[in-house]
Amino acid sequence: RFIVVANMEAEDGGAAIIAGNERVLRARLSDAIFFWDKDRKQKLEAGLMPLRNMVFHEKLGSLADKVSRLEALAIEIADYIPDADAASVRQAAMLCKADLTTGMVGEFPELQGIMGRYYAKGEGVDDAVADAIAGHYAPAGPDDVCPSAPVTLAVSLADKIDTLVGFFGIDEKPTGSRDPYALRRAALGVIRMILENELRVPLADILAKAVSHYDASLAPTEKIVAELLAFFADRLKVHLRGQGVRHDFVSAVFAVHKPDGAVEDDLVRLIARIDALQAFLATDDGKNLLAAHKRAANIVG
């Protein structure tokens, strides 16, 4: 059953329109059944080999190279995610792109991840692994549901961080309104997953590890990490501004470095400091301190 809307009043009550749509849908569903049956004749893992012939980016290698990096990075990230089983994370990272080589996803690209989950479950793969194959693309936007399952979180974070590190490493950063590789969306996804799941992730360390997994020629690790931390700070300001938080609060908190002089990269701790700063400045003591600082700044200025 289906619904179709036509911007005309048909003389035959819509019979020809219905028949035409039925004909198109019947053909598409027939294609889907063909690819569904064909794809299930082999294991999902068989799709890994063809990934070698699919380019992720000409300077960053193939999708097979990306999968190899994801396996290593997802395991490292899993150490910071409670209840993330290492074996399940490794399997999910290995299989998460395998459905890109299937006939179904080739015909219906919007089903990437979704078909991987169905095929994996059909083979008896653990639910946590199958769900991670489908869920590692999330969140796809600011209104998309954020993953919370441990295995999905590990793979999704690894996927997005690997992409960010790679493109920053070859100087393909967003400029103005131009962001062809959706890096702003990827960074926002990382921020949301960390904050909404309260993950205590040392972001600078993870970014450095992500760089180390690349065989391609990238910019120096220190440069990539510094640029990405600044990029995350900007994205965090945008994210919090949408929640009514003043951007200068974020800047003030980012200006406070760790005891060793390094930039603060624990986003959960940063948010706690922002909340504390907001709460303090709302008190009489906070208002008095702010007024005194403004007077002193005006005199010195």
Side-chain angles (χ1 to χ4, degrees), residues 121-278:
K121 286 180 72 69
E123 295 171 14
V125 171
D126 184 75
D127 283 351
V129 174
D131 291 344
I133 293 171
H136 83 280
Y137 290 105
D143 300 321
D144 194 17
V145 176
C146 199
S148 59
V151 177
T152 305
L153 277 173
V155 179
S156 183
L157 282 168
D159 187 29
K160 292 168 179 59
I161 289 173
D162 173 81
T163 295
L164 286 162
V165 162
F167 285 109
F168 268 69
I170 58 173
D171 200 28
E172 286 284 357
K173 299 183 285 288
T175 56
S177 60
R178 185 175 177 275
D179 186 12
Y181 303 111
L183 301 184
R184 293 188 181 94
R185 186 174 68 187
L188 178 59
V190 171
I191 289 170
R192 283 190 58 200
M193 283 187 281
I194 290 175
L195 294 182
E196 292 183 25
N197 292 281
E198 298 186 343
L199 302 178
R200 306 304 299 274
V201 177
L203 202 50
D205 290 346
I206 293 298
L207 292 173
K209 287 178 179 177
V211 176
S212 72
H213 297 311
Y214 267 92
D215 293 328
S217 178
L218 303 182
T221 299
E222 296 77 10
K223 182 176 185 292
I224 296 173
V225 172
E227 289 182 346
L228 274 173
L229 287 178
F231 186 62
F232 276 113
D234 288 340
R235 292 298 91 203
L236 184 59
K237 290 176 185 177
V238 173
H239 177 62
L240 293 177
R241 188 162 59 237
Q243 299 178 359
V245 179
R246 284 167 41 181
H247 70 89
D248 54 338
F249 285 4
V250 183
S251 298
V253 170
F254 264 100
V256 180
H257 290 191
K258 296 179 182 178
D260 62 0
V263 175
E264 179 60 75
D265 62 345
D266 183 332
L267 299 186
V268 173
R269 186 159 52 206
L270 278 167
I271 294 300
R273 287 176 177 172
I274 290 171
D275 291 341
L277 179 61
Q278 284 191 119

Side-chain angles (χ1 to χ4, degrees), residues 2 16 37 47-48 59 66 78 80 84-85 103 108 115 131 152 158 162 198 201 217 223 241 256 258 274 283 285 294:
F2 63 92
D37 291 336
L48 296 178
K59 294 182 180 179
K66 182 174 178 67
Y80 302 98
D85 177 69
F108 306 98
M115 294 314 305
D131 291 344
T152 305
D162 173 81
E198 298 186 343
V201 177
S217 178
K223 182 176 185 292
R241 188 162 59 237
V256 180
K258 296 179 182 178
I274 290 171
T283 65
D285 286 343
K294 286 181 178 178

